[in-house]
Amino acid sequence: MATLPVIEMSPLFDRVDAVGRARVAGEIARACEAHGFFYLTGHGIDLATLADLEAQSRRFFALPEEEKLRIDMARGGRAWRGYFPVGGELTSGAPDQKEGLYLGTDLAADHRRVQARMPLHGANLWPPALPELKVAAEAYMAGATRAAAALMEGFSISLSLPDNYFRDAYTTEPTVLFRIFNYPAQGLGADAGSWGVGEHTDYGLLTLLAQDRFGGLQVKAPGGWIEAPPIEGALVCNIGDMLERLTGGRYRSTPHRVRNVSGHDRLSFPLFFDPDFNARMAPLPGVAITTGADGRWDGASVHDFDGTYGDYLLSKVAKVFPNLVDEALT
Ligand SMILES: O=C(O)CCC(=O)C(=O)O
Ligand SMILES: [Fe+2]
């Protein structure tokens, strides 16, 4: 059975290790041309940080529903932050069998982007009953954001671009969203057609995912669906639609989905490291273009898209949270 590659990324934190960086860049290129998915080690996030995030998240989801609903997404307004219950999100048109907490770069009310009423920008909502969750999640977000920024240097090198190319062009002010998901244990009689998360691709540049030990993530490989089982201490990395768009299809934004058949509640922690909301998303000069829908899961082609990353993201969010859109954006 096909397995996903493991990339040890620590040379990307060392600007003088040209040989190590070139090696990692080569591994990134091969992984992204083949799968668009790989595991990451050497990402700088220690086991204690991962364990604390998991422990505090379990405590959060075990709170009574009314306690969790004190930070309901409806209260996050246009910032799109807060808790949503099982069935509250429709990733591929049907309700997902998961509950979650939406977080992201924490911007105060006086930040210029919040003052400008930019959607998806604003303050995180934290459960008043569990202050430890904020500490654990902020530590993880800082580590994962640092790893994603370093990884983007590897992507630049892999495309024969200057190390800081993506940072300077797209991620000086990245869009960083972070989610904490719980996929409740599904009973034996569960509907075989119901997914924790339905088949989809991610929207932006990179997703870094921590997951607990129970598994359930599946990736669409050329020969069929394969599992991406947990590896202790490693993160799963996959690329999003905008990296496919920028590279003209050379790097793939690969469909994936989740079904939790472990008999336990499964937690996962995706951090989305995405372009500046205002960045215009056109193919990189000098990179081959593919056109057409290419049999994508949603029948759409990212190569037809012309606009800012914010335009793209909002069009997607409107589909997965149809009930919230009018409320938050009008
Ligand atoms: O929970 C997972 O393993 C994957 C979640 C996911 O694909 C997503 O949030 O985009
Ligand atoms: Fe995803």
Side-chain angles (χ1 to χ4, degrees):
M1 173 146 152
T3 53
L4 300 172
V6 179
I7 299 180
E8 209 288 329
M9 68 171 284
S10 61
L12 297 178
F13 292 109
D14 180 0
R15 276 292 173 108
V16 297
D17 181 7
V19 173
R21 293 164 75 81
R23 184 185 69 239
V24 174
E27 292 176 12
I28 289 173
R30 277 192 295 283
C32 291
E33 286 163 0
H35 296 290
F37 258 86
F38 49 91
Y39 291 94
L40 275 178
T41 59
H43 46 62
I45 305 170
D46 58 27
L47 287 174
T49 303
L50 292 166
D52 194 32
L53 176 65
E54 181 178 337
Q56 302 309 336
S57 300
R58 278 200 202 283
R59 289 178 68 199
F60 172 68
F61 290 115
L63 290 171
E65 196 75 1
E66 71 263 21
E67 196 57 51
K68 292 186 273 189
L69 286 170
R70 286 178 70 182
I71 53 165
D72 188 342
M73 271 190 104
R75 300 187 184 205
R78 62 181 49 229
W80 299 97
R81 309 297 161 97
Y83 171 73
F84 69 90
V86 173
E89 180 168 5
L90 290 71
T91 298
S92 49
D96 295 337
Q97 297 306 304
K98 64 171 166 40
E99 58 182 330
L101 179 58
Y102 273 50
L103 302 160
T105 307
D106 200 21
L107 300 180
D110 62 357
H111 189 278
R112 69 190 146 69
R113 290 191 171 212
V114 182
Q115 291 283 313
R117 295 177 53 76
M118 282 174 70
L120 294 138
H121 290 70
N124 288 328
L125 299 182
W126 299 103
L130 190 58
E132 297 89 343
L133 180 63
K134 176 174 192 280
V135 178
E138 285 183 343
Y140 178 80
M141 273 193 273
T145 304
R146 180 171 167 268
L151 200 55
M152 286 312 299
E153 294 184 18
F155 275 84
S156 295
I157 300 166
S158 81
L159 294 161
S160 306
L161 297 166
D163 295 32
N164 287 335
Y165 185 89
F166 283 109
R167 190 194 68 192
D168 293 348
Y170 300 103
T171 60
T172 305
E173 284 187 78
T175 305
V176 178
L177 298 174
F178 176 53
R179 296 167 186 179
I180 299 180
F181 288 140
N182 177 35
Y183 302 84
Q186 289 190 272
L188 282 178
D191 174 5
S194 73
W195 291 91
V197 178
E199 175 178 347
H200 68 283
T201 53
D202 294 346
Y203 312 144
L205 292 173
L206 290 182
T207 305
L208 297 190
L209 177 96
Q211 55 177 334
D212 71 11
R213 64 189 184 285
F214 296 120
L217 173 62
Q218 301 177 6
V219 176
K220 196 174 204 170
W225 288 96
I226 61 173
E227 302 279 334
I231 298 178
E232 193 185 16
L235 303 178
V236 176
C237 178
N238 64 285
I239 67 164
D241 295 342
M242 290 304 106
L243 211 42
E244 175 164 337
R245 167 75 177 148
L246 291 172
T247 61
R250 180 164 160 201
Y251 291 174
R252 300 252 194 72
S253 158
T254 301
H256 51 285
R257 63 189 184 187
V258 173
R259 175 169 280 152
N260 175 19
V261 291
S262 67
H264 300 270
D265 287 7
R266 172 195 187 246
L267 299 188
S268 77
F269 310 91
L271 180 128
F272 304 89
F273 186 83
D274 294 347
D276 190 317
F277 207 74
N278 293 325
R280 193 153 207 103
M281 304 312 301
L284 298 170
V287 184
I289 314 284
T290 49
T291 50
D294 294 333
R296 272 175 60 95
W297 66 279
D298 54 1
S301 173
V302 292
H303 305 292
D304 297 336
F305 172 74
D306 186 27
T308 64
Y309 181 59
D311 297 333
Y312 189 73
L313 189 53
L314 286 180
S315 73
K316 294 288 187 176
V317 167
K319 283 188 190 142
V320 297
F321 283 113
N323 298 339
L324 277 174
V325 170
D326 295 346
E327 216 167 307
L329 295 187
T330 48

